[in-house]
Amino acid sequence: MEKKIKTKKDEDLISWYNETVTAADLAEFSELKGFTIYKPYGYAIWEKIRDYLDDKFKNLGIKNAYFPLLIPESVLEKEKEHVEGFTPEVAWVTMGGKKKLDEKLAVRPTSETSVSYAYSKWVKSYRDLPLMMNQWNTVVRWETKETRLFLRGREVIWQEGHCVFENEEEARKNVMDLLMVYKEVLEELLATPVIIGRKSEEEKFAGAVETYTVEAPLPNNFMIQSATSHLLGQNFSKVFDIKFLNRENKWEYAHQTSWGISMRSIGAMILVHGDDNGLILPPLVAPIQVIIIPILNGTDDKKIIEYARDVEERLKKINIRAEIDDRTIYSPGWKFNEYELKGVPIRIDLGKKETEERLISYKIRVNGKKESMKFDELNKFTDLLENIQEEMFQRAYDRIKSQVKEETNKNEFIKDLKDGKAIVKAAWCGKEACEKKIKEQTGAVSRVIPLEKEELLDKKCIFCGKPAEFNAYFAQTY
Ligand SMILES: [Zn+2]
């Protein structure tokens, strides 16, 4: 039986998403509530992101390390705001074998505390700085909201970076460097346009001075936080006593940053791209970039398969991830549907005619175009994949322009957010009390305060009427 996505993407984005992710064999729910199994086809996308980022980090001088999964309660609780922010979601280990532990151990919800505890021993002089480290790991947050594959689960696969600097200027530069790396991952690798900027006081990371975010607008006017970069200032260094002898030989508290991106970014990419027939994967992260389907007729099968192998070999030679599906238990029609559902960027169909004339007939997933070329022209597939990548970004980018509405009328602001009619940009005071009321009345929150200084859309806050501080984007989120 061919798998079909029943829900139309335009009608109900999240139902379409749930169906698609499962049908495309990316991931599924496990027997343990709130936990996800990432299957090979889905995990391979994460591997592409991981490899790309790992290079970028190393180019910035950041090294990989690994810290323990468990954090003693006394260490986790040192930074007050941080612990208040995370306690409701911490999973605890209380038993060691049959013995009750003297101290509860937190399964790390994030590692600022345990890393800071170690850094206080490592950092003694300005000569020890900067200290820049990253971990590829998972964290556990006991979410009570509904689990969504890739988007929200109790165990999060991610990376978390933790850096220490002599002064605020260097720390700020690091925060921005990583913000830009994350923007690149989303836009260049995942072909997913983002809006970058600062989080509000209410939405920032617990324990940070400032949080910067990479927000992806979705087709249904929701926005998804896809990565964050935090300026921790001296909040943790003062509590954990990370101090060093500076260049004037005086003791000083260090300046810290932390930053992370998770598999959530893949969820954003899936929601942005894809259509009623399933996924559409950007070539740079597609586990299979070109699928070759031999169309067998019973009499020329050997020749057709041989030709398909030639095509595969040629594509692999120019570093294209090509595969042949020559299984005879499935019909070509079944396979067309299957690889469309899986979002493979290009499908090549090879039958008797193609084999005899050494032709390539292919179909492009993102625009449905069917073309053909000669075998000797196969090198053009490199450019073709590059063009597909660009076209995917551009399509998403053009759509966002029509989604953002600049608003100066309070009633319209509330109505549009409530109904999810638009991503709303408006002048805002940025106050926590104001944001809480906006959330109560609309269900939406501020997503991002643009990085670039902009002219205010109004002198007064769209909601409370107090003087506006900046423009901000508001939207619903998952
Ligand atoms: Zn206000």
Side-chain angles (χ1 to χ4, degrees):
M1 261 290 279
E2 282 179 18
K3 288 178 261 178
K4 285 273 178 229
I5 311 293
K6 288 187 204 86
T7 313
K8 299 275 174 247
K9 194 181 178 196
D10 282 349
E11 283 166 14
D12 181 355
L13 183 66
I14 204 72
S15 298
W16 169 88
Y17 173 85
N18 291 337
E19 265 189 70
T20 302
V21 169
T22 313
D25 217 21
L26 295 175
E28 65 185 39
F29 296 112
S30 80
E31 76 284 8
L32 184 58
K33 192 173 181 289
F35 289 78
T36 303
I37 299 167
Y38 293 100
K39 299 173 88 172
Y41 194 61
Y43 197 78
I45 300 173
W46 178 241
E47 285 180 311
K48 297 277 173 291
I49 296 174
R50 199 185 59 193
D51 293 349
Y52 178 92
L53 276 174
D54 211 57
D55 275 351
K56 295 271 173 192
F57 293 163
K58 281 168 184 158
N59 284 337
L60 287 169
I62 297 155
K63 297 196 166 92
N64 286 330
Y66 188 81
F67 277 69
L69 169 70
L70 303 176
I71 305 174
E73 185 180 25
S74 55
V75 171
L76 186 73
E77 291 192 336
K78 276 196 167 191
E79 215 286 335
K80 239 183 138 225
E81 271 183 39
H82 183 71
V83 74
E84 274 171 20
F86 281 101
T87 301
E89 299 183 342
V90 172
W92 295 98
V93 174
T94 56
M95 300 287 288
K98 288 182 175 171
K99 201 170 150 263
K100 193 166 182 294
L101 299 176
D102 294 334
E103 184 179 10
K104 280 200 293 184
L105 304 174
V107 181
R108 63 178 165 227
T110 178
S111 304
E112 275 74 9
T113 52
S114 56
V115 168
S116 294
Y117 188 82
Y119 282 0
S120 69
K121 290 180 277 180
W122 300 355
V123 175
K124 295 294 169 205
S125 151
Y126 72 89
R127 292 181 195 89
D128 300 326
L129 300 175
L131 175 56
M132 298 195 281
M133 195 203 72
N134 173 61
Q135 313 190 52
W136 292 100
N137 65 13
T138 70
V139 289
V140 169
R141 295 174 187 178
W142 216 257
E143 293 271 4
T144 48
K145 291 182 195 163
E146 191 184 344
T147 305
R148 299 198 187 283
L149 300 167
F150 291 101
L151 297 175
R152 191 188 303 110
R154 286 180 171 169
E155 183 179 17
V156 179
I157 300 178
W158 76 342
Q159 60 67 218
E160 49 174 323
H162 298 276
C163 301
V164 191
F165 300 92
E166 284 181 70
N167 54 52
E168 186 180 325
E169 196 189 340
E170 283 178 33
R172 276 191 184 277
K173 183 182 176 299
N174 177 255
V175 168
M176 287 304 141
D177 282 348
L178 271 303
L179 188 71
M180 291 308 161
V181 167
Y182 291 145
K183 179 179 154 73
E184 272 178 44
V185 172
L186 266 295
E187 296 198 333
E188 285 174 25
L189 203 67
L190 300 176
T192 300
V194 290
I195 297 169
I196 57 169
R198 191 160 58 84
K199 280 284 186 196
S200 68
E201 282 301 301
E202 178 73 11
E203 290 289 309
K204 77 179 184 189
F205 178 74
V209 175
E210 287 173 6
T211 287
Y212 290 83
T213 181
V214 172
E215 297 280 324
L218 304 180
N220 64 347
N221 299 321
F222 278 48
M223 281 175 102
I224 275 200
Q225 176 180 304
S226 304
T228 47
S229 186
H230 315 291
L231 182 73
L232 302 177
Q234 296 173 313
N235 286 353
F236 285 84
S237 66
K238 282 181 177 163
V239 174
F240 284 91
D241 209 31
I242 308 174
K243 54 182 189 211
F244 64 99
L245 276 174
N246 66 18
R247 288 163 201 265
E248 281 82 48
N249 214 33
K250 286 188 181 123
W251 287 102
E252 195 179 328
Y253 287 110
H255 295 258
Q256 287 174 271
T257 68
S258 68
W259 28 269
I261 187 169
S262 73
M263 275 201 174
R264 206 176 155 78
S265 54
I266 299 175
M269 180 233 356
I270 295 167
L271 285 158
V272 165
H273 302 294
D275 60 17
D276 291 345
N277 296 326
L279 291 180
I280 301 179
L281 294 180
L284 286 176
V285 292
I288 306 168
Q289 293 173 314
V290 179
I291 186 72
I292 302 163
I293 313 232
I295 317 286
L296 305 177
N297 59 10
T299 47
D300 306 284
D301 294 2
K302 204 171 158 247
K303 276 186 192 157
I304 294 170
I305 298 272
E306 239 169 59
Y307 180 52
R309 300 237 174 274
D310 283 353
V311 173
E312 183 193 26
E313 196 184 320
R314 174 60 86 78
L315 289 172
K316 282 189 167 162
K317 239 179 214 162
I318 53 171
N319 296 317
I320 289 174
R321 294 187 288 277
E323 270 182 30
I324 300 177
D325 188 344
D326 58 2
R327 292 176 294 177
T328 47
I329 44 168
Y330 295 112
S331 69
W334 186 92
K335 291 177 190 174
F336 295 166
N337 181 73
E338 178 72 5
Y339 293 101
E340 191 145 276
L341 183 59
K342 285 182 165 237
V344 174
I346 304 177
R347 188 187 84 214
I348 295 179
D349 307 334
L350 301 177
K352 182 172 183 249
K353 179 177 186 289
E354 283 82 7
T355 305
E356 280 174 354
E357 296 174 29
R358 290 189 75 78
L359 283 175
I360 311 291
S361 297
Y362 61 94
K363 188 179 176 191
I364 297 172
R365 175 67 178 91
V366 69
N367 54 29
K369 279 184 196 156
K370 282 183 174 172
E371 310 266 356
S372 70
M373 65 166 66
K374 294 193 182 105
F375 179 84
D376 291 339
E377 294 175 299
L378 267 177
N379 284 355
K380 287 186 183 164
F381 264 53
T382 307
D383 287 343
L384 194 57
L385 288 167
E386 241 172 66
N387 294 343
I388 293 170
Q389 181 86 23
E390 270 176 39
E391 185 178 336
M392 288 183 67
F393 176 82
Q394 200 56 45
R395 277 162 66 125
Y397 186 81
D398 291 343
R399 198 194 49 235
I400 291 169
K401 278 192 278 186
S402 67
Q403 287 180 273
V404 176
K405 201 168 150 194
E406 294 185 349
E407 206 96 71
T408 50
N409 177 297
K410 182 177 174 177
N411 291 334
E412 294 264 305
F413 171 83
I414 293 171
K415 197 172 172 300
D416 280 346
L417 284 179
K418 238 181 167 170
D419 302 345
K421 279 273 152 50
I423 290 167
V424 179
K425 190 177 183 185
W428 189 41
C429 68
K431 299 280 184 294
E432 290 180 77
C434 183
E435 174 138 38
K436 277 192 177 130
K437 281 191 194 128
I438 293 173
K439 194 174 182 180
E440 272 169 29
Q441 286 202 24
T442 66
V445 288
S446 73
R447 299 309 306 162
V448 55
I449 300 157
L451 204 58
E452 305 292 333
K453 195 110 181 96
E454 291 181 351
E455 202 178 316
L456 286 176
L457 292 167
D458 199 344
K459 284 182 190 137
K460 287 192 220 151
C461 168
I462 183 90
F463 194 79
C464 70
K466 285 183 188 144
E469 293 285 335
F470 32 68
N471 297 328
Y473 290 87
F474 293 83
Q476 308 275 351
T477 191
Y478 290 115

